[in-house]
Amino acid sequence: MGGHGYSGWWGAMGGPKQRGIVTYQLSPYEMKANAHLISKGTHNFFRRTSAQLGYILPAVFLFWGVTHFGKKRHEFINSKAGHAAGHSH
């Protein structure tokens, strides 16, 4: 019912020797990823963000323009002048 007795601590269970296992370790410099977050992080944030503005702003303006046009068109179509002009829903 249960186990067959004590088989050893984790990693030393008496089985065949493990082969081909690779272990990794972080260097102390990588373990301090947030060491200079305030002093150098804000500069890097603005530098990287400004480098991406050329890609982001055209999409933002396009989205804003389409949304603005759609809202104005919707207001016109549902207004008295829009109905008089022959536009229907």
Side-chain angles (χ1 to χ4, degrees), residues 23-36:
T23 59
Y24 295 95
Q25 182 176 351
L26 286 176
S27 75
Y29 300 107
E30 291 183 48
M31 291 175 21
K32 297 180 183 178
N34 295 327
H36 301 287

Side-chain angles (χ1 to χ4, degrees), residues 15-87:
K17 195 76 171 163
Q18 292 283 334
R19 293 173 34 170
I21 295 179
V22 180
T23 59
Y24 295 95
Q25 182 176 351
L26 286 176
S27 75
Y29 300 107
E30 291 183 48
M31 291 175 21
K32 297 180 183 178
N34 295 327
H36 301 287
L37 182 64
I38 301 299
S39 62
K40 296 180 182 177
T42 53
H43 172 70
N44 281 337
F45 171 77
F46 288 115
R47 180 181 58 84
R48 291 178 178 178
T49 304
S50 65
Q52 297 298 318
L53 286 179
Y55 300 104
I56 296 170
L57 287 181
V60 169
F61 285 129
L62 178 68
F63 178 76
W64 177 81
V66 169
T67 305
H68 183 71
F69 171 77
K71 285 183 178 182
K72 290 295 182 185
R73 180 82 175 144
H74 179 74
E75 287 176 11
F76 173 72
I77 288 174
N78 289 320
S79 69
K80 187 182 253 187
H83 288 287
H87 297 285

